């Protein structure tokens, strides 16, 4: 049952850009979300709404709605994973063509982040979302861990949502406080890019235990902005070796309630 007090959480859209020659549905630009992300957020009885990108290039007359209007109406923002960020977004040229990323999505999500922060609404970034937060605050990324940090452990494997490794939570950090009672310290983490130079007013909340690659960041300003390089939505209940991420979701939703009331 939906009540006036029910939180409304926005989920950024993944974008599919049709390749040349594609026909039918696959010949259209698509905006979508991964079901597991929506399921994870909705497990706390909130309304989840995907926020579409607002394109100027359309055959139809667009209304005057802006991304700012979504920030005003919704209670919080979750940035889901997906395609690489474009190195051009943080002032670099791609080292390889396949790492060119998605500049269209970068611009859309950067605007979303800034609008939700301006509206003092909480932001939670997952995987790509954590990297987007870092770049939004002026940071940079390793374009490819395997080539730029060859001594690092593998951070992406064919096992995908079964690939796990241990993380170390920063002493005195928000994550250490929230997850102190979790017996497990492993996370499901799948990424070939990672935080390089930390953005302004950001603090590292967690590292990969083996190679110290950044796995979580937090904004130290006024408001809740947290980025997780791992995928909490892939943490299956009952697996004791995995970090219990439910307190993280609850803290994010509590931040949304405080802003509303």
């Amino acid at each position: 049952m939906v009540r006036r007090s029910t939180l409304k959480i926005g989920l950024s859209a993944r974008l599919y850009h049709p390749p040349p020659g594609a026909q039918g549905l696959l010949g259209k630009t698509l905006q979508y979300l991964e079901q597991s992300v929506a399921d994870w957020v909705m497990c706390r009885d909130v309304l989840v709404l995907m926020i579409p990108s607002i394109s100027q290039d359309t055959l139809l007359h667009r209304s005057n709605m802006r991304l700012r209007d979504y920030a005003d109406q919704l209670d919080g923002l979750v940035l889901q994973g997906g395609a690489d960020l474009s190195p051009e977004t943080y002032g670099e040229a791609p080292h390889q063509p396949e790492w060119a990323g998605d500049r269209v999505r970068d611009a859309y999500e950067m605007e979303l982040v800034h609008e939700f922060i301006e509206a003092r609404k909480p932001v939670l970034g997952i995987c790509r979302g954590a990297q987007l937060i870092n770049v939004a605050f002026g940071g940079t990324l390793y374009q490819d861990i395997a080539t730029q940090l060859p001594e690092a452990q593998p951070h992406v494997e064919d096992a995908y949502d079964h690939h796990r490794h241990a993380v170390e939570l920063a002493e005195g950090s928000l994550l250490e406080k929230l997850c102190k009672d979790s017996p497990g310290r492993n996370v499901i983490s799948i990424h070939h890019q990672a935080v390089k130079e930390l953005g302004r007013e950001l603090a590292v909340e967690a590292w990969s235990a083996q190679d110290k690659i950044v796995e979580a960041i937090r904004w130290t300003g006024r408001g809740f902005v947290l980025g997780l390089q791992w995928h909490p939505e892939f943490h299956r209940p009952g697996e004791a070796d995995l970090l219990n991420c439910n307190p993280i979701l609850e803290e994010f939703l509590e931040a949304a309630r405080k802003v509303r009331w």
Side-chain angles (χ1 to χ4, degrees):
M1 182 178 182
V2 179
R3 301 178 176 86
R4 289 176 60 88
S5 59
T6 301
L7 291 175
K8 299 186 293 292
I9 302 300
L11 225 63
S12 67
R14 290 186 181 223
L15 303 184
Y16 165 81
H17 304 289
Q23 297 180 346
L25 180 63
L26 296 183
K28 304 293 184 182
T29 298
L30 304 179
Q31 302 185 31
Y32 66 100
L33 59 82
E34 188 169 338
Q35 184 66 51
S36 58
V37 177
D39 287 345
W40 183 62
V41 180
M42 289 191 297
C43 75
R44 288 299 184 269
D45 293 329
V46 303
L47 282 175
V48 170
L49 300 94
M50 190 182 76
I51 304 174
S53 66
I54 297 177
S55 174
Q56 303 292 338
D57 183 18
T58 176
L59 297 176
L60 302 176
H61 176 70
R62 184 175 63 81
S63 73
N64 293 320
M65 297 301 293
R66 306 162 300 163
L67 291 180
R68 174 59 193 236
D69 296 309
Y70 284 95
D72 288 340
Q73 295 299 318
L74 300 176
D75 299 306
L77 171 67
V78 174
L79 301 165
Q80 59 174 325
D84 290 348
L85 268 76
S86 171
E88 295 180 1
T89 300
Y90 48 92
E92 296 183 6
H95 295 176
Q96 298 289 344
E98 60 268 29
W99 304 336
D102 187 344
R103 293 193 69 187
V104 174
R105 182 174 172 187
D106 294 351
Y108 149 67
E109 288 189 314
M110 293 272 277
E111 184 178 353
L112 269 181
V113 167
H114 289 303
E115 293 293 3
F116 271 80
I117 291 175
E118 182 70 20
R120 298 188 177 181
K121 306 291 180 67
V123 177
L124 177 63
I126 296 173
C127 195
R128 171 197 158 91
Q131 298 170 6
L132 190 286
I133 288 170
N134 188 57
V135 173
F137 281 90
T140 63
L141 305 176
Y142 290 109
Q143 293 188 31
D144 182 64
I145 295 171
T147 56
Q148 293 182 273
L149 296 171
E151 70 280 6
Q153 70 183 85
H155 283 263
V156 59
E157 288 188 349
D158 291 341
Y160 192 58
D161 59 352
H162 293 281
H163 177 59
R164 62 189 67 192
H165 65 71
V167 293
E168 176 185 346
L169 306 182
E171 185 176 353
S173 66
L174 174 65
L175 288 184
E176 184 187 53
K177 173 186 173 183
L178 296 176
C179 302
K180 64 180 185 300
D181 294 330
S182 175
R185 284 292 184 270
N186 285 317
V187 296
I188 303 294
S189 191
I190 316 103
H191 57 106
H192 83 99
Q193 299 187 317
V195 169
K196 184 180 180 183
E197 295 174 352
L198 198 62
R200 297 179 299 273
E201 296 186 290
L202 295 178
V204 176
E205 289 273 309
W207 300 267
S208 171
Q210 180 175 321
D211 53 27
K212 306 306 180 186
I213 285 178
V214 174
E215 286 282 338
I217 56 176
R218 177 180 57 84
W219 182 41
T220 59
R222 292 182 59 189
F224 182 102
V225 181
L226 180 67
L228 306 176
Q229 184 62 72
W230 65 82
H231 287 267
E233 74 275 18
F234 292 161
H235 286 207
R236 301 162 189 83
E239 296 197 38
D241 70 312
L242 290 176
L243 187 72
N244 178 11
C245 295
N246 288 336
I248 300 173
L249 177 60
E250 290 162 1
E251 185 77 4
F252 165 70
L253 297 177
E254 181 60 25
R257 292 187 188 95
K258 287 179 180 178
V259 173
R260 177 188 276 194
W261 298 307

